[in-house]
């Protein structure tokens, strides 16, 4: 089987159960693009005024870029070459932190922005992704230990 065929098959098999991870990684990555393209967004939009107090917009954009892009890469690796539930769990954990910061920032701004109807849900969804990927990591570790102890999976 060619490499491209393997990657395609693996992606088709893993995407349905990882769709929320892909979506949340892409949203974070896209957030970074918007923040880089509109460098005065935190200053202009009242709902983001509290985020500017946490860190400069360019720093926030860089953080979103690293977490979003890193997650996209780990998901691609997970589906194409090897299982990476540990990386997926770590990426979802970092994503949860970003969604938390955005949620708290919007809440503290007092603007009553509609983002409070969205970002806390994204945070909870990534929290669920942490739990799910950590569970897969635990199963993977357990299976790897059994293989190491017995020389074959059991």
């Amino acid at each position: 089987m060619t490499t491209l065929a393997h990657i395609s098959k693996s992606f088709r098999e893993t995407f349905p159960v990882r769709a929320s991870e892909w979506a949340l990684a892409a949203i974070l990555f896209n957030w970074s693009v918007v923040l880089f393209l509109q460098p005065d967004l935190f200053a202009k939009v009242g709902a983001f005024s509290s985020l500017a107090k946490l860190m400069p917009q360019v720093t926030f954009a860089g953080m979103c870029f690293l977490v979003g892009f890193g997650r996209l890469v780990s998901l691609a690796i997970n589906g194409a070459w090897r299982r990476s539930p540990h990386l997926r769990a770590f990426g979802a954990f970092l994503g949860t932190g970003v969604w938390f910061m955005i949620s708290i920032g919007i809440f503290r701004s007092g603007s009553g922005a509609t983002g409070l109807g969205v970002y806390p849900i994204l945070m909870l969804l990534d929290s669920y992704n942490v739990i799910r990927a950590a569970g897969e990591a635990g199963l993977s570790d357990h299976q790897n230990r059994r293989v190491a102890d017995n020389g074959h999976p059991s």
Side-chain angles (χ1 to χ4, degrees), residues 14 23 25 49 60 65 75 92 94-95 101 103 105 114 128 130-131 135 144:
T14 61
S49 61
F60 205 88
F65 177 84
L75 284 162
L94 293 176
M101 284 190 282
S103 298
T114 57
Y128 173 73
V130 171
I131 293 165
N144 288 341

Side-chain angles (χ1 to χ4, degrees), residues 66-124:
L66 289 174
V67 174
F69 184 74
R71 287 183 77 181
L72 291 170
V73 169
S74 70
L75 284 162
I77 289 169
N78 184 80
W81 293 281
R82 67 180 302 268
R83 290 182 42 95
S84 57
H86 298 83
L87 283 176
R88 288 182 26 245
F90 183 64
F93 177 77
L94 293 176
T96 299
V98 175
W99 302 129
F100 177 76
M101 284 190 282
I102 294 170
S103 298
I104 292 299
I106 292 172
F107 177 76
R108 290 191 65 206
S109 73
S111 68
T114 57
L116 287 177
V118 176
Y119 295 107
I121 303 303
L122 300 180
M123 180 187 71
L124 292 173

Side-chain angles (χ1 to χ4, degrees), residues 19-62:
S20 67
E21 292 179 63
W22 279 99
L24 291 165
I27 292 168
L28 266 183
F29 180 80
N30 289 343
W31 238 76
S32 75
V33 171
V34 169
L35 293 177
F36 281 128
L37 292 176
Q38 298 180 43
D40 57 348
L41 189 65
F42 280 11
K44 284 183 174 179
V45 178
F48 299 136
S49 61
S50 290
L51 291 176
K53 294 175 185 173
L54 291 174
M55 66 184 74
Q57 181 176 325
V58 69
T59 305
F60 205 88

Side-chain angles (χ1 to χ4, degrees), residues 128-150:
Y128 173 73
N129 288 332
V130 171
I131 293 165
R132 191 176 62 192
E136 290 177 26
L139 288 173
S140 178
D141 289 347
H142 178 71
Q143 185 177 19
N144 288 341
R145 276 194 297 277
R146 291 186 102 167
V147 169
D149 293 343
N150 301 331

